[in-house]
Amino acid sequence: SEKQLNKINNSVVLEIGPGLGLNSLIYSEKNKNEIFFYDLEQMSEIQKKVENSLRKNCHINKIKYFSDVNNLEAKLINKDYVIFSSYAFSEFPIKLRKKFDDIIQNSKLSIFLSNESFENVENKTYFLSLANRLKKSLEIKKFVYPSQDGFTKDHNYFILEN
């Protein structure tokens, strides 16, 4: 929606599990704000190398890397931010997901792409419960991909906002 795009264009972006970090190019086109990446320490090292390579030919906003949820939360205080995660968050153990409750609670918008279930966690049920617990609205949109195979047919975007 236009309202959601406005939030994205005027906020710090936190991506949970950014893969190689290539989405930083898109975020840097949308706004001038910092980008926060949360990932495993090993992946952060790879992302930094990719970032350094990209910076030779592309503009990328300042990226801050985190592998500790408490440090990440402390740096997000007093910032307007949105969250994106394609699969990573929904593949975390429940114990780690719970550590993100306050971060999600304080986000202006959170968009999670998720498979149907992972390690016996039914993700639709999880996100419905999360939205209820954090008192956020939840919009569920089907993930549609050209030439979609059976594996991705039940994948969804879970969009939480105030």
Side-chain angles (χ1 to χ4, degrees):
S1 75
E2 191 67 35
K3 183 179 160 190
Q4 291 169 335
L5 283 174
N6 192 43
K7 288 178 182 181
I8 293 166
N9 291 339
N10 294 298
S11 302
V12 167
V13 172
L14 162 59
E15 186 169 1
I16 299 171
L20 293 176
L22 298 176
N23 285 343
S24 60
L25 294 167
I26 297 167
Y27 306 145
S28 298
E29 280 186 19
K30 290 289 177 194
N31 68 44
K32 303 280 184 238
N33 295 314
E34 298 170 305
I35 300 166
F36 286 42
F37 283 169
Y38 175 86
D39 214 328
L40 301 170
E41 213 168 302
Q42 301 89 327
M43 283 303 299
S44 292
E45 292 307 313
I46 294 168
Q47 292 153 3
K48 288 174 188 176
K49 289 178 182 179
V50 171
E51 176 193 356
N52 289 334
S53 237
L54 289 172
R55 282 197 185 282
K56 293 174 185 170
N57 298 307
C58 304
H59 165 76
I60 302 174
N61 298 355
K62 181 169 180 52
I63 300 175
K64 294 185 176 180
Y65 296 88
F66 298 89
S67 57
D68 179 89
V69 178
N70 294 326
N71 290 341
L72 171 62
E73 188 173 359
K75 294 295 183 185
L76 287 169
I77 290 176
N78 298 322
K79 293 190 184 298
D80 288 332
Y81 61 92
V82 296
I83 299 171
F84 293 102
S85 183
S86 295
Y87 299 105
F89 180 82
S90 65
E91 294 177 356
F92 286 171
I94 292 296
K95 186 176 179 179
L96 179 55
R97 292 187 200 192
K98 285 184 179 179
K99 291 182 179 183
F100 280 88
D101 278 7
D102 288 342
I103 292 172
I104 296 167
Q105 176 66 59
N106 294 318
S107 71
K108 293 169 71 175
L109 173 71
S110 301
I111 301 174
F112 300 96
L113 176 57
S114 171
N115 44 23
E116 187 177 14
S117 62
F118 189 79
E119 294 188 355
N120 299 318
V121 175
E122 213 293 345
N123 281 313
K124 184 175 183 181
T125 302
Y126 170 80
F127 282 106
L128 286 166
S129 173
L130 178 68
N132 186 47
R133 191 169 70 248
L134 300 182
K135 304 206 179 343
K136 292 210 169 226
S137 68
L138 175 65
E139 180 181 359
I140 302 172
K141 289 192 170 188
K142 285 297 263 178
F143 173 73
V144 179
Y145 189 80
S147 303
Q148 200 162 21
D149 63 17
F151 176 71
T152 60
K153 283 188 178 168
D154 294 321
H155 293 201
N156 291 298
Y157 288 101
F158 296 94
I159 304 167
L160 293 96
E161 61 185 316
N162 295 339

